[in-house]
Amino acid sequence: MMMMGIKFMDDVPFKDVYIHALVRDSSGQKMSKSKGNVIDPLIMMDKYGTDAFRFTLAAFAAQGRDIRFSEDRVEGYRHFVNKLWNASRFILLNAEDTSLPEKIDLQKMDIGSRWILSRLSFTAGEIDQSLADYRFNDAANSIYQFIWHELCDWYIEMVKPVLYDEAADRLPLRQCLLYILEKTLRLLHPFMPYVTEEIWQIMPHSGVSIVTAEYPKNLIRETGAEEHMSIIIEAVTAIRTIRGELNLSPSLELKAYIKT
């Protein structure tokens, strides 16, 4: 390929070569038809979905290490696809008749919204650098942690009381949710092209396809909001830990006393 490129195009066809890891079975054995431990990717895609299977391989692709393929991990990332789909459905149901903002006015945002916007900016930077360094597993892990733990486990749960309160000014939160979702889909698209395109097409957007949408850049980073939220998250986590240790029902309403 190099010689053909130089011969006919007077230039080499590519500058970098990525040598991916060898995919082995769950016990570390090299896949072989004679051993009967070969995994058909078409069967995996039919069983768990192409996006989940694709994301699994990206998440496993650590440099200098062979991949021990595990079907359980594919199933786990299928749950991640479901998590994304449910979160998107929640956002779109609660942001009906809300247009996608080009920019977010931080002055109208609460501490939680400023925090998630800053975490989105940090995650985009991490993924961008990881992809530039061909560390696909690190990029996949970054977007996974952001969507599952920060967006779904924390931010969406935080905004539910406001979204359910008809007397509250819900427009800033709705705009923030749409803004975060749209940017998140763009970040995830290289790893999960099908589900991200499906969701992107049914939400407010500009352009024909997410395939040609620009990579998110110049996002807002506010470390102060992250520092404040880290205290809140630490306090909530500590309270949850105590509840768990004392076997208290999650539905039991408690008073929390915090000594600073």
Side-chain angles (χ1 to χ4, degrees):
M1 291 174 70
M2 284 289 187
M3 290 189 291
M4 290 283 280
I6 294 171
K7 171 68 176 177
F8 294 108
M9 305 299 293
D10 294 323
D11 192 15
V12 293
F14 42 79
K15 303 291 184 182
D16 302 323
V17 177
Y18 179 81
I19 302 175
H20 65 76
L22 183 68
V23 182
R24 299 178 180 272
D25 66 13
S26 57
S27 61
Q29 297 294 316
K30 187 175 180 180
M31 292 187 187
S32 169
K33 289 183 179 179
S34 59
K35 292 180 181 179
N37 62 346
V38 175
I39 296 174
D40 189 337
L42 295 179
I43 294 177
M44 289 293 101
M45 288 188 286
D46 184 57
K47 188 174 181 180
Y48 299 108
T50 302
D51 280 335
F53 182 61
R54 178 187 176 103
F55 194 89
T56 303
L57 294 178
F60 276 178
Q63 293 180 359
R65 189 177 70 201
D66 286 350
I67 295 174
R68 284 196 176 193
F69 185 81
S70 170
E71 194 170 330
D72 291 339
R73 289 292 295 273
V74 186
E75 185 175 10
Y77 287 125
R78 183 180 65 176
H79 295 323
F80 175 55
V81 175
N82 291 337
K83 187 85 168 178
L84 172 69
W85 187 264
N86 290 333
S88 302
R89 184 169 56 181
F90 171 82
I91 291 172
L92 295 178
L93 283 174
N94 284 278
E96 285 184 320
D97 303 324
T98 304
S99 59
L100 178 68
E102 293 185 9
K103 292 183 179 181
I104 293 293
D105 185 0
L106 285 182
Q107 301 299 322
K108 297 180 179 179
M109 294 295 129
D110 59 11
I111 183 67
S113 298
R114 298 203 306 273
W115 167 75
I116 196 66
L117 288 165
S118 187
R119 294 306 302 165
L120 174 68
S121 175
F122 176 80
T123 303
E126 263 196 340
I127 296 171
D128 194 29
Q129 187 60 54
S130 295
L131 292 178
D133 295 337
Y134 300 102
R135 292 182 286 109
F136 302 118
N137 61 309
D138 290 339
N141 183 64
S142 293
I143 190 63
Y144 176 89
Q145 293 295 328
F146 174 77
I147 292 174
W148 191 292
H149 298 295
E150 295 178 327
L151 177 59
C152 295
D153 286 355
W154 285 102
Y155 184 64
I156 287 180
E157 293 303 317
M158 277 192 290
V159 301
K160 281 181 179 179
V162 182
L163 291 175
Y164 296 156
D165 184 0
E166 295 184 0
D169 181 12
R170 295 175 288 183
L171 181 59
L173 279 185
R174 288 172 171 174
Q175 290 180 331
C176 184
L177 283 166
L178 278 179
Y179 180 88
I180 291 289
L181 177 60
E182 201 271 342
K183 294 290 188 291
T184 300
L185 291 175
R186 292 199 211 180
L187 294 175
L188 183 61
H189 180 67
F191 304 95
M192 292 184 168
Y194 296 105
V195 67
T196 50
E197 180 74 61
E198 182 76 15
I199 297 170
W200 196 78
Q201 289 293 342
I202 61 175
M203 69 173 293
H205 65 270
S206 59
V208 177
S209 170
I210 195 174
V211 174
T212 57
E214 190 177 33
Y215 186 88
K217 59 184 180 180
N218 300 323
L219 300 177
I220 304 164
R221 186 80 196 277
E222 189 180 344
T223 55
E226 293 188 42
E227 291 173 3
H228 285 122
M229 267 303 300
S230 67
I231 298 172
I232 298 172
I233 290 173
E234 188 177 347
V236 172
T237 302
I239 293 169
R240 286 175 176 171
T241 301
I242 294 170
R243 294 182 75 123
E245 291 174 349
L246 298 178
N247 293 319
L248 297 174
S249 170
S251 61
L252 181 64
E253 188 172 324
L254 301 174
K255 290 183 178 180
Y257 297 89
I258 300 175
K259 184 177 180 180
T260 64

